[in-house]
Amino acid sequence: MNIEDKNYIRNHIKIYNSLTGKKELFQPINKKYVGIYVCGPTVYHDIHLGNCRTFISFDLVFRYFKHLGYKVRYVRNITDVGHLENERDDGEDKISKKSRIEGLEPMEIVQKYTISFHKILNIFNTLPPSIEPTATGHIIEQIDIIQELIKKKLAYEKNGSVYFDIKKYNKKFSSYGKLSHNKIDKLFNQKLKNNSSVVVEKRCFQDFSLWKRANDNHIMNWNSPWGKGFPGWHIECTTMSTKYLGEIFDIHGGGIDLKFPHHECELAQAIGIYENKNLAHYWMHTNMLTFNGKKMSKSTGNFLGLKDIIIYNKSFHPTIIRFFILQSHYRSLLNFSYQGLINAEKGYYRLMNAIEKLKHFSTKEKTKTNHYYSSTFNIIQWIKDCYNAINDDFNIPLLISFLFKASHIVNNSSSVINNMGCSDINLWNKYMNHFIFDILGLQTLSLEKNSSYETSKKFKVLIERLIKFRIEERKRRNWILSDRIRKELSHVGISLHDDKLC
Ligand code: AMP
Ligand code: ZN
């Protein structure tokens, strides 16, 4: 493996494909290009840290392909209509509901939370996607696709709404459930949970809406061949992904909670229209960020939102939060914890110290030249190990362990470095920078000048004092106060587990 030969590295990427349940060799449809579609946010609230985990994970995928010299088209949509409260088609549109609550026009809600979304992702140093299409900007295209599905007899109109006909689709393609691995018989046997008019007007409980008729009080509506209405959530993504990436593209991504029904339905629509394709060759799903052991989620109230992110950013730079997120594999559950951030911060500074030292050594005059294999540390092998780790389904925890190994040598064994030639050190320096900044997307922090870091130190001291104070109160059996402190701390992500009092 010639480490400067990016072609070789490109030819050895493996991705876990949710569709097949296997790690597969990545082979792009067009040699030099990679097309990625990631389901974006529904812009009716500030995104929480769980959402950030998913977008940061795909930012890393985007960065890696770019680093390897691919021309990447990364499409991440904005859902600004059609995402209903209830997965079963009979809830209120999330944006309409929020506009009612906040007393704003739906488009004001969309504007407000799209700006907030960009701001939050920006503080985590994620790159903007190549295209960020909105659902409301693609109504005509969605109507066209729905008409196509009706023509193919895979969809039917009822009282101004249009539904996807799962039974007909399955008769023709027998593939509903192929992504989520849901057994179709089990799905069909589900009892109706309620008798709302929407459920009753469908031919089958599992049919999902492509177009919803608008009630008189529904502000967000468009003219269509079926009367005034608005598109369903799933059709938006099929429409926008194929419009910008083609009938079949390389990677489709999103959080694992979207696998069913959202992605299953996106896939069914695409197969229905384009026949026998999987919409994307590789389906990637990120696992959830949990908080207090439960999924971080807006609807249950168990989440850390903008306010908390700001609190954390005062004590931990966003790059530390990003590093914390990247330290676990994107397919593993990750529980958010204060201790986790402290550890991430320590690890981050170990890397930064090593970066500083390498920079210093690489600018020093040295007599020795090209000795890639001369020292006890084999730089070429280390670079290969790092690439192999990323190539193995983005095994970033493994990559980070190699970065720590290198940092340990730089920080503790100056004799190893002193025995190296300039080229070795320059190469080492170059790749440390590639991995840490270009691919992981971390940022450098100037500690001395960073006033928020000072606040951070004070904040940490304050937390530690509060915890000590609580221990004393527990000893005094002041349960009310100690429980209250624990509850308050849990709101900022610090969970305390008590041992028995002696
Ligand atoms: P939403 O706006 O709810 O559609 O979510 C936007 C993205 O965040 C989707 O890809 C979700 O799968 C993802 N997401 C939601 N909650 C979490 C979580 N707790 N951890 C990781 N990703 C999440
Ligand atoms: Zn989607």
Side-chain angles (χ1 to χ4, degrees):
M1 172 185 188
N2 173 1
I3 46 141
E4 298 287 357
D5 176 8
K6 296 284 183 280
N7 259 334
Y8 181 90
I9 300 162
R10 288 208 290 233
N11 289 337
H12 289 80
I13 301 173
K14 281 190 171 169
I15 295 183
Y16 179 87
N17 190 352
S18 300
L19 197 61
T20 57
K22 288 189 198 120
K23 264 189 214 171
E24 292 170 3
L25 192 66
F26 177 69
Q27 290 173 308
I29 295 167
N30 298 307
K31 209 165 172 273
K32 293 185 184 153
Y33 298 84
V34 176
I36 309 176
Y37 183 85
V38 171
C39 295
T42 306
V43 281
Y44 72 107
H45 66 83
D46 295 315
I47 56 166
H48 55 67
L49 267 182
N51 304 130
C52 294
R53 178 186 189 192
T54 288
F55 298 123
I56 289 172
S57 301
F58 285 106
D59 181 58
L60 183 129
V61 173
F62 181 34
R63 282 168 178 273
Y64 188 52
F65 284 120
K66 273 162 77 91
H67 167 79
L68 293 182
Y70 280 111
K71 279 188 182 301
V72 192
R73 181 174 292 170
Y74 174 26
V75 183
R76 189 184 64 208
N77 74 300
I78 294 282
T79 295
D80 54 356
V81 69
H83 196 170
L84 304 185
E85 289 258 280
N86 182 328
E87 298 278 2
R88 292 281 157 244
D89 286 330
D90 55 354
E92 196 176 350
D93 182 295
K94 292 187 182 196
I95 288 163
S96 290
K97 182 175 175 187
K98 200 61 185 292
S99 87
R100 205 165 35 75
I101 294 169
E102 292 198 18
L104 293 170
E105 273 287 315
M107 278 301 145
E108 283 181 293
I109 294 290
V110 166
Q111 185 75 7
K112 176 176 168 184
Y113 292 108
T114 303
I115 290 171
S116 155
F117 169 61
H118 290 154
K119 209 159 111 189
I120 295 174
L121 285 195
N122 196 32
I123 65 169
F124 289 116
N125 200 29
T126 64
L127 302 173
S130 331
I131 304 176
E132 197 170 48
T134 60
T136 55
H138 295 77
I139 299 290
I140 293 170
E141 289 89 336
Q142 291 175 80
I143 291 176
D144 285 348
I145 289 195
I146 297 170
Q147 282 183 308
E148 193 66 24
L149 285 168
I150 294 176
K151 240 189 259 161
K152 286 180 180 257
K153 307 216 176 323
L154 294 171
Y156 57 93
E157 187 262 341
K158 193 80 196 267
N159 304 331
S161 291
V162 181
Y163 296 101
F164 188 85
D165 191 325
I166 299 241
K167 279 198 172 149
K168 285 226 174 106
Y169 166 78
N170 224 39
K171 209 164 158 198
K172 192 162 175 195
F173 300 101
S174 42
S175 56
Y176 192 75
K178 74 187 280 190
L179 175 66
S180 56
H181 309 296
N182 271 313
K183 294 270 175 285
I184 194 73
D185 298 343
K186 211 169 127 203
L187 286 177
F188 284 150
N189 284 338
Q190 276 185 17
K191 293 262 173 299
L192 295 189
K193 288 203 183 79
N194 64 51
N195 285 324
S196 77
S197 58
V198 176
V199 174
V200 169
E201 75 185 19
K202 290 184 193 181
R203 287 181 189 161
C204 166
F205 176 59
Q206 294 298 342
D207 292 353
F208 56 88
S209 64
L210 301 167
W211 186 262
K212 295 273 300 170
R213 75 177 162 272
N215 302 328
D216 293 343
N217 56 0
H218 198 104
I219 312 173
M220 300 180 85
N221 67 70
W222 291 262
N223 286 325
S224 80
W226 318 285
K228 279 192 186 303
F230 57 97
W233 178 32
H234 315 310
I235 199 72
E236 297 175 3
C237 284
T238 307
T239 306
M240 292 186 273
S241 58
T242 53
K243 169 156 180 158
Y244 296 107
L245 296 169
E247 291 175 13
I248 180 119
F249 50 91
D250 296 306
I251 298 175
H252 188 302
I256 202 158
D257 58 335
L258 297 190
K259 204 178 193 185
F260 187 84
H262 182 54
H263 290 166
E264 191 71 66
C265 297
E266 273 187 49
L267 179 59
Q269 293 163 157
I271 293 177
I273 299 161
Y274 304 117
E275 313 227 335
N276 281 332
K277 304 260 175 82
N278 288 331
L279 182 60
H281 280 171
Y282 307 87
W283 285 76
M284 292 177 71
H285 289 104
T286 51
N287 212 326
M288 297 290 102
L289 182 68
T290 57
F291 183 45
N292 296 324
K294 291 193 198 102
K295 179 190 165 190
M296 222 181 249
S297 154
K298 175 81 184 153
S299 55
T300 58
N302 181 48
F303 68 95
L304 293 170
L306 184 63
K307 197 167 74 287
D308 313 282
I309 294 172
I310 289 167
I311 293 174
Y312 274 109
N313 286 345
K314 288 220 169 91
S315 50
F316 296 96
H317 190 276
T319 209
I320 305 292
I321 302 179
R322 183 177 171 111
F323 189 49
F324 163 77
I325 285 174
L326 292 175
Q327 272 184 312
S328 66
H329 192 264
Y330 76 90
R331 285 194 289 119
S332 309
L333 277 175
L334 168 64
N335 194 41
F336 185 86
S337 73
Y338 191 76
Q339 192 56 47
L341 289 183
I342 290 180
N343 296 343
E345 189 175 56
K346 283 186 191 146
Y348 168 85
Y349 284 115
R350 274 196 276 152
L351 296 185
M352 290 306 129
N353 274 339
I355 286 276
E356 274 302 305
K357 283 197 179 152
L358 272 178
K359 196 161 97 191
H360 169 74
F361 279 116
S362 65
T363 51
K364 251 170 73 174
E365 281 291 310
K366 291 207 124 216
T367 47
K368 290 188 180 142
T369 50
N370 299 318
H371 289 285
Y372 288 157
Y373 297 96
S374 67
S375 75
T376 47
F377 180 63
N378 186 333
I379 295 164
I380 301 291
Q381 187 55 49
W382 175 80
I383 296 170
K384 285 181 189 170
D385 289 343
C386 290
Y387 274 123
N388 285 337
I390 314 175
N391 274 0
D392 183 14
D393 189 31
F394 301 93
N395 193 339
I396 302 306
L398 187 59
L399 167 73
I400 293 173
S401 75
F402 289 125
L403 296 175
F404 281 151
K405 183 179 156 192
S407 305
H408 183 79
I409 295 170
V410 179
N411 292 335
N412 301 297
S413 321
S414 42
S415 64
V416 174
I417 298 184
N418 286 330
N419 270 328
M420 280 180 170
C422 296
S423 314
D424 305 41
I425 295 182
N426 285 340
L427 195 71
W428 197 358
N429 186 34
K430 177 174 152 186
Y431 277 89
M432 276 291 264
N433 276 275
H434 276 329
F435 293 128
I436 292 174
F437 300 116
D438 303 349
I439 298 171
L440 292 186
L442 301 184
Q443 293 161 293
T444 38
L445 306 179
S446 146
L447 292 189
E448 298 73 25
K449 290 179 202 142
N450 193 333
S451 62
S452 70
Y453 182 72
E454 282 309 308
T455 323
S456 135
K457 281 201 288 196
K458 285 180 195 154
F459 179 78
K460 282 173 208 159
V461 171
L462 180 69
I463 298 282
E464 275 164 28
R465 291 183 76 134
L466 200 55
I467 292 172
K468 265 192 205 139
F469 171 68
R470 181 175 172 274
I471 292 171
E472 285 161 20
E473 289 308 302
R474 285 192 82 228
K475 282 184 183 152
R476 284 199 203 113
R477 305 197 172 268
N478 192 347
W479 309 123
I480 294 176
L481 184 58
S482 67
D483 277 354
R484 179 71 201 274
I485 295 172
R486 184 173 54 184
K487 203 167 160 203
E488 290 301 323
L489 286 174
S490 82
H491 290 313
V492 289
I494 301 164
S495 49
L496 302 177
H497 300 282
D498 295 320
D499 293 327
K500 270 193 182 148
L501 281 176
C502 316

